[in-house]
Amino acid sequence: MTKKLEFPSNFLWGGATAASQIEGAYNVDGKSLSAIEMIPFIELKDRKDLSQTRKLTTQDLLDSIENKKGLHYPKRFGIDFYHKYKEDIALFKEAGMKVFRMSVAWTRIFPNGDETEPNRKGLEFYKNVFEECKKQGLEIMVTINHFDMPFSIIQKYGGWKNRQVIDMYFKYSKTLIDEFHSYVRYWLPFNEINLGVLFSAMGLEGNNEEKSLAERLAGTYQDLHNQFVAQAKFIEYSKKFSNTKVGCMVADTTTYAIDCNPVNVLENQRKEQMKKFFYYDVMTKGEYPSYSKRYFKENGINIVKEKTDDELLKNNTVEFLSFSYYMSSTIAKEEVELTEGNLMKMGKNPFLVATEWGWQIDPIGLRYCLNQLWDRYHLPLFISENGMGVLETLNENNTVDDDYRIEYLSRHFEQMSEAIKDGVNLFGYTMWTPIDVVSAGSNEMSKRYGLIFVDYDDYHRGTGNRFKKKSFTWFQNFMKTSEV
């Protein structure tokens, strides 16, 4: 980093994780399985093609419960944060972090979803984690549902397409804020809400194998509507607590028309509308935007609502916007060459380099995104995920000389600083992730994101010990020089 960057003195620097990717202890203290913990590890022939990991049937999920095929399920083991949270949180503090974004496992609190009372062992675990964060002086941001709905809800109720799940989610989220409002100021009801609905099309929310693409598409938007309603109910309830703020979390990807052909420029606008702005628009304005109504009509999508839904959405919008940003993409009316992205394929950009998994690195795209969101919504912004996955091994000094990660973070921090100078109200950043975790998309331990190396391989062979990478010390030093 060649020049001094400017950030507010109260800027929230930190790291983000997800319960299903770090906790482990999948069968401890009453926890049940979520669908995402039922995806087996598959050795990839091509890291830029994750299609092998997305061909799951309902029967595959059922077979995984008793592991009838003797497969390895990485997210059931994570990095054993369940037993090592004190060590990990101390490392986050040592790195200089001010905020820890983490998720609660629904499967620990209401293992089947439809219980009348929460699992006290689960609540006790998270209270202990929050107490440790408080001891270390870390602000907490909680994601209530990070892709880990209890599988029993999917099996018994069909997932989010069933409105009964709205009440189950509300019971769960109400329990969390009732129990932990004194510890947690920032709440995100759903992680990457625009990607979560893709799981229904992937077969993770009931038997979709026999459905047409149109039927799946209609189903995903009904699922999404029910999530919007569930989120609004939580926001409505959260207003009784004066110290809490509720935001949203969207998987954001800056997109560019492949060229200046008006056809492609218009296509990019249309894609931005339904793959990006649609989600922000509903959650900030409390109503479905006009362009979505045309899209629904032309695609035969009919969302079933109850009479009170529109009023509930209108009166309960989010207070801040958070988003993940990993890459950018090109868009064209005709097909373009594709590369792998965050749970979906992206258009290649010849001006960008990509990671080993095909994720295109575009720091300037982050500044563009921040300005775009600020200009459109004028709500405080928070970058809740950003980072790069790399194949790494410990060297003879028990560290990793990850200069590429230092460069990646430096370039993104520089563009964040520029966006703040542009006038954007950006109040925080949590990297994905401060410590190596099981990858959400590829299910690999070897796809490493952290400042801290965790000694497990893809089959969870290893000591599980933690080792500081070169980027850990770099971030420590950066934290001492980043404030104005």
Side-chain angles (χ1 to χ4, degrees):
M1 196 171 292
T2 57
K3 61 180 179 179
K4 181 175 174 60
L5 307 186
E6 296 182 5
F7 291 91
S9 60
N10 61 348
F11 192 84
L12 292 175
W13 291 100
T17 63
S20 66
Q21 293 168 256
I22 64 166
E23 285 184 2
Y26 71 97
N27 57 357
V28 174
D29 291 335
K31 184 186 180 304
S32 68
L33 289 174
S34 62
I36 203 166
E37 294 166 298
M38 302 166 83
I39 303 172
F41 173 69
I42 299 171
E43 291 194 19
L44 299 172
K45 297 177 182 178
D46 179 1
R47 284 194 161 86
K48 295 183 180 179
D49 181 10
L50 299 185
S51 58
Q52 296 166 270
T53 67
R54 299 171 186 170
K55 295 177 180 178
L56 289 174
T57 66
T58 304
Q59 190 58 50
D60 289 331
L61 300 181
L62 293 172
D63 288 345
S64 78
I65 296 174
E66 298 178 3
N67 198 3
K68 294 179 179 180
K69 298 179 181 179
L71 302 174
H72 177 54
Y73 296 89
K75 293 189 182 76
R76 298 184 188 184
F77 301 94
I79 59 170
D80 200 25
F81 179 82
Y82 194 80
H83 297 107
K84 297 190 175 187
Y85 66 89
K86 289 186 178 181
E87 175 186 353
D88 292 342
I89 291 170
L91 285 168
F92 301 161
K93 177 63 176 179
E94 184 183 345
M97 296 182 181
K98 299 179 180 179
V99 61
F100 178 34
R101 176 186 167 232
M102 54 170 283
S103 74
V104 173
W106 192 344
T107 50
R108 290 199 190 278
I109 310 304
F110 289 96
N112 296 314
D114 55 7
E115 296 94 340
T116 56
E117 296 296 326
N119 174 22
R120 298 309 306 182
K121 285 284 189 181
L123 292 173
E124 181 183 338
F125 167 68
Y126 290 109
K127 182 178 180 181
N128 291 338
V129 172
F130 296 152
E131 283 283 0
E132 195 63 24
C133 289
K134 183 178 179 180
K135 175 183 171 183
Q136 295 291 353
L138 289 176
E139 188 81 68
I140 304 165
M141 178 178 287
V142 162
T143 310
I144 297 172
N145 182 213
H146 196 124
F147 300 156
D148 58 355
M149 173 189 286
F151 180 66
S152 56
I153 294 180
I154 298 171
Q155 191 176 18
K156 187 175 178 180
Y157 297 94
W160 277 107
K161 63 178 61 66
N162 189 328
R163 282 193 70 106
Q164 292 181 74
V165 178
I166 296 174
D167 296 328
M168 293 181 206
Y169 175 89
F170 179 68
K171 175 180 60 180
Y172 161 57
S173 59
K174 177 180 180 296
T175 298
L176 294 188
I177 200 168
D178 283 344
E179 292 277 341
F180 302 128
H181 63 90
S182 62
Y183 295 98
V184 181
R185 178 180 302 177
Y186 300 102
W187 298 84
L188 302 175
F190 295 98
N191 180 68
E192 296 181 328
I193 192 166
N194 53 327
L195 296 189
V197 296
L198 292 179
F199 289 144
S200 58
M202 289 165 59
L204 298 186
E205 289 223 343
N207 193 328
N208 271 329
E209 294 94 87
E210 304 302 322
K211 293 183 180 178
S212 68
L213 178 61
E215 289 173 320
R216 292 189 190 194
L217 189 63
T220 61
Y221 281 103
Q222 185 63 58
D223 290 357
L224 179 64
H225 175 77
N226 291 345
Q227 288 182 49
F228 283 148
V229 172
Q231 174 170 289
K233 287 188 69 172
F234 173 74
I235 292 173
E236 183 177 54
Y237 184 75
S238 74
K239 292 175 181 177
K240 68 181 287 188
F241 304 103
S242 59
N243 65 322
T244 62
K245 294 184 180 296
V246 182
C248 65
M249 204 301 212
V250 172
D252 208 310
T253 301
T254 296
T255 60
Y256 311 109
I258 193 67
D259 55 29
C260 56
N261 184 334
V263 171
N264 293 327
V265 173
L266 182 61
E267 183 66 14
N268 183 47
Q269 182 187 61
R270 293 179 63 228
K271 289 287 172 58
E272 276 190 318
Q273 285 176 332
M274 287 308 300
K275 291 185 178 292
K276 174 174 177 169
F277 294 133
F278 168 75
Y279 302 89
Y280 291 120
D281 285 350
V282 174
M283 293 185 287
T284 61
K285 301 174 183 178
E287 60 187 20
Y288 283 77
S290 56
Y291 57 79
S292 70
K293 296 173 184 177
R294 175 177 180 176
Y295 178 84
F296 292 157
K297 182 179 179 180
E298 292 179 350
N299 287 277
I301 298 169
N302 180 37
I303 295 175
V304 178
K305 300 180 183 180
E306 290 193 354
K307 291 182 179 179
T308 57
D309 286 358
D310 287 340
E311 183 179 2
L312 183 68
L313 293 177
K314 191 67 176 176
N315 294 335
N316 297 285
T317 55
V318 296
E319 297 177 75
F320 67 93
L321 306 183
S322 89
F323 62 94
S324 60
Y325 179 85
Y326 293 100
M327 72 209 75
S328 63
S329 172
T330 57
I331 300 292
K333 183 70 172 178
E334 303 298 327
E335 282 193 20
V336 296
E337 187 179 358
L338 298 176
T339 185
E340 196 63 49
N342 189 7
L343 292 179
M344 63 181 72
K345 298 283 189 180
M346 301 287 177
K348 272 193 173 183
N349 187 329
F351 298 99
L352 301 177
V353 298
T355 70
E356 292 156 285
W357 282 265
W359 294 28
Q360 299 179 131
I361 300 171
D362 184 8
I364 292 175
L366 176 58
R367 179 182 176 185
Y368 181 94
C369 173
L370 288 166
N371 274 277
Q372 194 180 44
L373 293 178
W374 175 247
D375 290 346
R376 188 177 178 106
Y377 300 108
H378 268 269
L379 286 173
L381 304 179
F382 188 98
I383 301 168
S384 46
E385 290 182 24
N386 171 246
M388 69 181 307
V390 182
L391 289 171
E392 295 173 325
T393 55
L394 288 175
N395 62 24
E396 65 276 7
N397 297 317
N398 281 332
T399 188
V400 178
D401 291 326
D402 54 343
D403 294 290
Y404 42 82
R405 180 170 290 107
I406 293 171
E407 180 186 8
Y408 177 97
L409 293 173
S410 297
R411 292 172 62 202
H412 283 81
F413 293 175
E414 181 178 341
Q415 295 304 320
M416 289 158 52
S417 177
E418 290 299 313
I420 291 172
K421 294 175 187 176
D422 293 336
V424 173
N425 181 0
L426 175 65
F427 72 96
Y429 169 98
T430 47
M431 70 179 67
W432 188 269
T433 176
I435 189 168
D436 292 345
V437 302
V438 177
S439 169
S442 68
N443 242 6
E444 296 168 291
M445 205 47 230
S446 55
K447 184 182 184 183
R448 299 182 181 275
Y449 282 87
L451 307 181
I452 302 161
F453 184 96
V454 179
D455 185 25
Y456 286 128
D457 67 9
D458 289 330
Y459 291 93
H460 280 81
R461 296 171 299 211
T463 64
N465 291 339
R466 277 60 166 154
F467 300 91
K468 299 170 189 173
K469 303 177 188 178
K470 184 177 181 179
S471 57
F472 183 97
T473 303
W474 170 83
F475 186 77
Q476 270 185 320
N477 293 329
F478 170 74
M479 287 302 299
K480 297 172 184 176
T481 60
S482 65
E483 297 179 1
V484 294

Short mmCIF file of all heavy atoms in Angstrom, two decimals, residues 29-68:
data_model
loop_
_atom_site.label_atom_id
_atom_site.label_comp_id
_atom_site.label_asym_id
_atom_site.label_seq_id
_atom_site.Cartn_x
_atom_site.Cartn_y
_atom_site.Cartn_z
N ASP A 29 -24.84 -31.56 21.68
CA ASP A 29 -25.77 -30.71 22.43
C ASP A 29 -27.08 -30.46 21.70
O ASP A 29 -27.63 -29.35 21.72
CB ASP A 29 -25.12 -29.38 22.81
CG ASP A 29 -24.00 -29.55 23.84
OD1 ASP A 29 -24.05 -30.54 24.59
OD2 ASP A 29 -23.10 -28.70 23.89
N GLY A 30 -27.57 -31.48 21.02
CA GLY A 30 -28.91 -31.41 20.45
C GLY A 30 -29.01 -30.83 19.06
O GLY A 30 -30.12 -30.66 18.53
N LYS A 31 -27.89 -30.50 18.44
CA LYS A 31 -27.92 -29.91 17.10
C LYS A 31 -28.42 -30.92 16.06
O LYS A 31 -28.12 -32.10 16.13
CB LYS A 31 -26.52 -29.42 16.70
CG LYS A 31 -26.49 -28.69 15.36
CD LYS A 31 -25.08 -28.36 14.94
CE LYS A 31 -25.05 -27.63 13.59
NZ LYS A 31 -25.71 -28.38 12.51
N SER A 32 -29.17 -30.40 15.07
CA SER A 32 -29.60 -31.22 13.92
C SER A 32 -28.78 -30.82 12.70
O SER A 32 -27.92 -29.94 12.76
CB SER A 32 -31.09 -31.02 13.64
OG SER A 32 -31.33 -29.69 13.17
N LEU A 33 -29.07 -31.44 11.56
CA LEU A 33 -28.37 -31.13 10.32
C LEU A 33 -29.15 -30.14 9.48
O LEU A 33 -30.38 -30.17 9.42
CB LEU A 33 -28.15 -32.40 9.49
CG LEU A 33 -27.11 -33.40 10.02
CD1 LEU A 33 -27.13 -34.67 9.16
CD2 LEU A 33 -25.71 -32.79 10.03
N SER A 34 -28.41 -29.26 8.80
CA SER A 34 -29.00 -28.41 7.77
C SER A 34 -28.64 -29.01 6.42
O SER A 34 -27.72 -29.83 6.31
CB SER A 34 -28.44 -26.99 7.86
OG SER A 34 -27.04 -26.99 7.64
N ALA A 35 -29.36 -28.60 5.37
CA ALA A 35 -29.10 -29.17 4.05
C ALA A 35 -27.67 -28.92 3.59
O ALA A 35 -27.05 -29.77 2.95
CB ALA A 35 -30.09 -28.60 3.03
N ILE A 36 -27.12 -27.77 3.95
CA ILE A 36 -25.78 -27.43 3.47
C ILE A 36 -24.71 -28.32 4.11
O ILE A 36 -23.62 -28.47 3.59
CB ILE A 36 -25.49 -25.93 3.72
CG1 ILE A 36 -24.40 -25.44 2.77
CG2 ILE A 36 -25.15 -25.66 5.17
CD1 ILE A 36 -24.27 -23.94 2.69
N GLU A 37 -25.05 -28.92 5.25
CA GLU A 37 -24.13 -29.85 5.91
C GLU A 37 -24.30 -31.28 5.38
O GLU A 37 -23.62 -32.20 5.83
CB GLU A 37 -24.37 -29.85 7.42
CG GLU A 37 -24.02 -28.54 8.09
CD GLU A 37 -24.58 -28.44 9.49
OE1 GLU A 37 -25.81 -28.48 9.67
OE2 GLU A 37 -23.77 -28.33 10.43
N MET A 38 -25.16 -31.43 4.40
CA MET A 38 -25.44 -32.75 3.82
C MET A 38 -24.86 -32.87 2.42
O MET A 38 -25.14 -33.81 1.69
CB MET A 38 -26.95 -32.98 3.82
CG MET A 38 -27.55 -32.88 5.23
SD MET A 38 -29.34 -32.74 5.27
CE MET A 38 -29.78 -34.46 5.14
N ILE A 39 -24.02 -31.91 2.04
CA ILE A 39 -23.35 -31.93 0.74
C ILE A 39 -21.97 -32.57 0.93
O ILE A 39 -21.16 -32.08 1.71
CB ILE A 39 -23.19 -30.51 0.18
CG1 ILE A 39 -24.56 -29.83 0.06
CG2 ILE A 39 -22.49 -30.53 -1.16
CD1 ILE A 39 -24.49 -28.36 -0.32
N PRO A 40 -21.68 -33.64 0.23
CA PRO A 40 -20.41 -34.33 0.43
C PRO A 40 -19.25 -33.62 -0.26
O PRO A 40 -19.45 -32.83 -1.19
CB PRO A 40 -20.64 -35.71 -0.20
CG PRO A 40 -21.64 -35.43 -1.29
CD PRO A 40 -22.54 -34.34 -0.75
N PHE A 41 -18.04 -33.94 0.20
CA PHE A 41 -16.86 -33.43 -0.48
C PHE A 41 -16.64 -34.20 -1.77
O PHE A 41 -16.69 -35.42 -1.80
CB PHE A 41 -15.62 -33.57 0.41
CG PHE A 41 -14.34 -33.22 -0.28
CD1 PHE A 41 -14.08 -31.91 -0.64
CD2 PHE A 41 -13.42 -34.20 -0.62
CE1 PHE A 41 -12.90 -31.58 -1.30
CE2 PHE A 41 -12.25 -33.89 -1.28
CZ PHE A 41 -11.99 -32.56 -1.62
N ILE A 42 -16.40 -33.46 -2.85
CA ILE A 42 -16.11 -34.05 -4.15
C ILE A 42 -14.81 -33.45 -4.66
O ILE A 42 -14.67 -32.23 -4.74
CB ILE A 42 -17.24 -33.77 -5.16
CG1 ILE A 42 -18.56 -34.38 -4.68
CG2 ILE A 42 -16.88 -34.31 -6.54
CD1 ILE A 42 -19.76 -33.97 -5.51
N GLU A 43 -13.83 -34.30 -4.95
CA GLU A 43 -12.57 -33.79 -5.49
C GLU A 43 -12.80 -33.25 -6.89
O GLU A 43 -13.25 -33.97 -7.78
CB GLU A 43 -11.51 -34.89 -5.49
CG GLU A 43 -11.07 -35.30 -4.09
CD GLU A 43 -9.80 -36.11 -4.10
OE1 GLU A 43 -9.08 -36.08 -5.12
OE2 GLU A 43 -9.53 -36.79 -3.09
N LEU A 44 -12.50 -31.97 -7.07
CA LEU A 44 -12.80 -31.30 -8.32
C LEU A 44 -11.72 -31.57 -9.36
O LEU A 44 -10.53 -31.46 -9.08
CB LEU A 44 -12.92 -29.79 -8.09
CG LEU A 44 -14.02 -29.33 -7.12
CD1 LEU A 44 -13.87 -27.85 -6.83
CD2 LEU A 44 -15.39 -29.62 -7.71
N LYS A 45 -12.16 -31.93 -10.56
CA LYS A 45 -11.22 -32.09 -11.67
C LYS A 45 -10.78 -30.72 -12.20
O LYS A 45 -9.67 -30.54 -12.69
CB LYS A 45 -11.87 -32.91 -12.79
CG LYS A 45 -12.21 -34.34 -12.38
CD LYS A 45 -12.93 -35.07 -13.51
CE LYS A 45 -13.31 -36.48 -13.08
NZ LYS A 45 -14.06 -37.20 -14.15
N ASP A 46 -11.69 -29.76 -12.11
CA ASP A 46 -11.42 -28.41 -12.59
C ASP A 46 -12.00 -27.43 -11.58
O ASP A 46 -13.22 -27.38 -11.39
CB ASP A 46 -12.06 -28.19 -13.97
CG ASP A 46 -11.83 -26.78 -14.50
OD1 ASP A 46 -11.17 -25.98 -13.82
OD2 ASP A 46 -12.32 -26.50 -15.61
N ARG A 47 -11.16 -26.68 -10.90
CA ARG A 47 -11.64 -25.78 -9.86
C ARG A 47 -12.48 -24.63 -10.41
O ARG A 47 -13.14 -23.92 -9.64
CB ARG A 47 -10.45 -25.23 -9.05
CG ARG A 47 -9.89 -26.26 -8.09
CD ARG A 47 -8.95 -25.63 -7.08
NE ARG A 47 -8.78 -26.51 -5.94
CZ ARG A 47 -7.88 -27.48 -5.89
NH1 ARG A 47 -7.07 -27.67 -6.92
NH2 ARG A 47 -7.79 -28.25 -4.82
N LYS A 48 -12.46 -24.45 -11.71
CA LYS A 48 -13.28 -23.40 -12.32
C LYS A 48 -14.61 -23.94 -12.82
O LYS A 48 -15.33 -23.26 -13.54
CB LYS A 48 -12.50 -22.73 -13.47
CG LYS A 48 -11.27 -21.98 -12.98
CD LYS A 48 -10.56 -21.26 -14.10
CE LYS A 48 -9.33 -20.52 -13.58
NZ LYS A 48 -8.59 -19.83 -14.65
N ASP A 49 -14.93 -25.18 -12.40
CA ASP A 49 -16.21 -25.78 -12.76
C ASP A 49 -16.76 -26.52 -11.55
O ASP A 49 -16.31 -27.61 -11.21
CB ASP A 49 -16.04 -26.74 -13.94
CG ASP A 49 -17.37 -27.38 -14.35
OD1 ASP A 49 -18.42 -26.93 -13.85
OD2 ASP A 49 -17.34 -28.32 -15.16
N LEU A 50 -17.72 -25.89 -10.87
CA LEU A 50 -18.28 -26.48 -9.65
C LEU A 50 -19.58 -27.22 -9.92
O LEU A 50 -20.32 -27.54 -9.00
CB LEU A 50 -18.53 -25.38 -8.61
CG LEU A 50 -17.30 -24.60 -8.13
CD1 LEU A 50 -17.69 -23.65 -7.01
CD2 LEU A 50 -16.19 -25.52 -7.69
N SER A 51 -19.88 -27.51 -11.20
CA SER A 51 -21.16 -28.15 -11.52
C SER A 51 -21.31 -29.50 -10.84
O SER A 51 -22.43 -29.92 -10.52
CB SER A 51 -21.29 -28.31 -13.04
OG SER A 51 -20.21 -29.07 -13.57
N GLN A 52 -20.18 -30.20 -10.58
CA GLN A 52 -20.26 -31.50 -9.92
C GLN A 52 -20.88 -31.39 -8.53
O GLN A 52 -21.54 -32.31 -8.06
CB GLN A 52 -18.85 -32.10 -9.77
CG GLN A 52 -18.14 -32.41 -11.06
CD GLN A 52 -16.66 -32.65 -10.80
OE1 GLN A 52 -15.85 -31.74 -10.84
NE2 GLN A 52 -16.31 -33.88 -10.53
N THR A 53 -20.65 -30.26 -7.87
CA THR A 53 -21.12 -30.10 -6.49
C THR A 53 -22.58 -29.67 -6.43
O THR A 53 -23.13 -29.55 -5.34
CB THR A 53 -20.26 -29.05 -5.75
OG1 THR A 53 -20.49 -27.76 -6.34
CG2 THR A 53 -18.79 -29.40 -5.84
N ARG A 54 -23.20 -29.44 -7.57
CA ARG A 54 -24.56 -28.88 -7.58
C ARG A 54 -25.59 -29.85 -8.14
O ARG A 54 -26.69 -29.46 -8.48
CB ARG A 54 -24.57 -27.58 -8.39
CG ARG A 54 -23.64 -26.52 -7.78
CD ARG A 54 -23.47 -25.31 -8.67
NE ARG A 54 -22.47 -24.41 -8.09
CZ ARG A 54 -21.96 -23.35 -8.72
NH1 ARG A 54 -22.35 -23.07 -9.94
NH2 ARG A 54 -21.06 -22.60 -8.13
N LYS A 55 -25.23 -31.12 -8.24
CA LYS A 55 -26.13 -32.11 -8.81
C LYS A 55 -26.65 -33.03 -7.71
O LYS A 55 -26.40 -34.23 -7.70
CB LYS A 55 -25.43 -32.91 -9.91
CG LYS A 55 -25.03 -32.07 -11.11
CD LYS A 55 -24.27 -32.88 -12.16
CE LYS A 55 -23.88 -32.02 -13.34
NZ LYS A 55 -23.10 -32.77 -14.35
N LEU A 56 -27.33 -32.46 -6.75
CA LEU A 56 -27.85 -33.22 -5.63
C LEU A 56 -29.33 -33.51 -5.81
O LEU A 56 -30.08 -32.66 -6.29
CB LEU A 56 -27.66 -32.44 -4.32
CG LEU A 56 -26.23 -32.31 -3.79
CD1 LEU A 56 -26.23 -31.39 -2.59
CD2 LEU A 56 -25.67 -33.67 -3.42
N THR A 57 -29.74 -34.69 -5.42
CA THR A 57 -31.16 -35.04 -5.41
C THR A 57 -31.61 -35.11 -3.96
O THR A 57 -30.80 -35.17 -3.03
CB THR A 57 -31.40 -36.39 -6.08
OG1 THR A 57 -30.77 -37.42 -5.28
CG2 THR A 57 -30.83 -36.42 -7.49
N THR A 58 -32.91 -35.10 -3.77
CA THR A 58 -33.44 -35.24 -2.42
C THR A 58 -32.98 -36.55 -1.79
O THR A 58 -32.68 -36.60 -0.59
CB THR A 58 -34.98 -35.17 -2.45
OG1 THR A 58 -35.37 -33.95 -3.07
CG2 THR A 58 -35.55 -35.23 -1.05
N GLN A 59 -32.88 -37.60 -2.60
CA GLN A 59 -32.43 -38.88 -2.07
C GLN A 59 -30.98 -38.81 -1.59
O GLN A 59 -30.62 -39.43 -0.59
CB GLN A 59 -32.57 -39.98 -3.14
CG GLN A 59 -32.36 -41.40 -2.60
CD GLN A 59 -33.32 -41.74 -1.48
OE1 GLN A 59 -34.53 -41.55 -1.60
NE2 GLN A 59 -32.78 -42.23 -0.37
N ASP A 60 -30.15 -38.03 -2.29
CA ASP A 60 -28.77 -37.84 -1.84
C ASP A 60 -28.74 -37.25 -0.44
O ASP A 60 -27.95 -37.66 0.42
CB ASP A 60 -28.01 -36.91 -2.79
CG ASP A 60 -27.72 -37.54 -4.13
OD1 ASP A 60 -27.58 -38.78 -4.18
OD2 ASP A 60 -27.64 -36.80 -5.12
N LEU A 61 -29.61 -36.27 -0.21
CA LEU A 61 -29.67 -35.63 1.10
C LEU A 61 -30.13 -36.61 2.17
O LEU A 61 -29.59 -36.66 3.27
CB LEU A 61 -30.59 -34.41 1.06
CG LEU A 61 -30.20 -33.29 0.09
CD1 LEU A 61 -31.20 -32.15 0.17
CD2 LEU A 61 -28.80 -32.77 0.36
N LEU A 62 -31.14 -37.40 1.84
CA LEU A 62 -31.65 -38.38 2.80
C LEU A 62 -30.59 -39.42 3.12
O LEU A 62 -30.42 -39.81 4.29
CB LEU A 62 -32.91 -39.04 2.24
CG LEU A 62 -34.14 -38.13 2.11
CD1 LEU A 62 -35.25 -38.84 1.36
CD2 LEU A 62 -34.63 -37.67 3.47
N ASP A 63 -29.88 -39.87 2.10
CA ASP A 63 -28.83 -40.87 2.32
C ASP A 63 -27.71 -40.33 3.20
O ASP A 63 -27.05 -41.09 3.92
CB ASP A 63 -28.23 -41.33 0.98
CG ASP A 63 -29.19 -42.21 0.18
OD1 ASP A 63 -30.18 -42.70 0.76
OD2 ASP A 63 -28.94 -42.39 -1.03
N SER A 64 -27.50 -39.02 3.15
CA SER A 64 -26.38 -38.44 3.89
C SER A 64 -26.62 -38.44 5.40
O SER A 64 -25.67 -38.35 6.18
CB SER A 64 -26.13 -37.00 3.43
OG SER A 64 -27.08 -36.10 3.99
N ILE A 65 -27.88 -38.51 5.83
CA ILE A 65 -28.18 -38.43 7.26
C ILE A 65 -27.45 -39.52 8.02
O ILE A 65 -26.83 -39.28 9.07
CB ILE A 65 -29.70 -38.51 7.49
CG1 ILE A 65 -30.39 -37.29 6.85
CG2 ILE A 65 -30.01 -38.58 8.98
CD1 ILE A 65 -31.90 -37.34 6.90
N GLU A 66 -27.50 -40.74 7.49
CA GLU A 66 -26.80 -41.85 8.13
C GLU A 66 -25.50 -42.18 7.40
O GLU A 66 -24.84 -43.17 7.71
CB GLU A 66 -27.71 -43.08 8.16
CG GLU A 66 -28.97 -42.87 8.98
CD GLU A 66 -29.88 -44.08 8.97
OE1 GLU A 66 -29.51 -45.11 8.37
OE2 GLU A 66 -30.96 -44.00 9.57
N ASN A 67 -25.13 -41.32 6.45
CA ASN A 67 -23.90 -41.49 5.67
C ASN A 67 -23.79 -42.91 5.12
O ASN A 67 -22.79 -43.61 5.32
CB ASN A 67 -22.67 -41.14 6.50
CG ASN A 67 -21.45 -40.87 5.63
OD1 ASN A 67 -21.53 -40.89 4.39
ND2 ASN A 67 -20.32 -40.64 6.26
N LYS A 68 -24.81 -43.32 4.39
CA LYS A 68 -24.87 -44.68 3.87
C LYS A 68 -23.77 -44.98 2.86
O LYS A 68 -23.42 -46.13 2.63
CB LYS A 68 -26.25 -44.93 3.24
CG LYS A 68 -27.39 -44.90 4.26
CD LYS A 68 -28.73 -45.14 3.59
CE LYS A 68 -29.86 -45.13 4.60
NZ LYS A 68 -31.19 -45.36 3.95
#
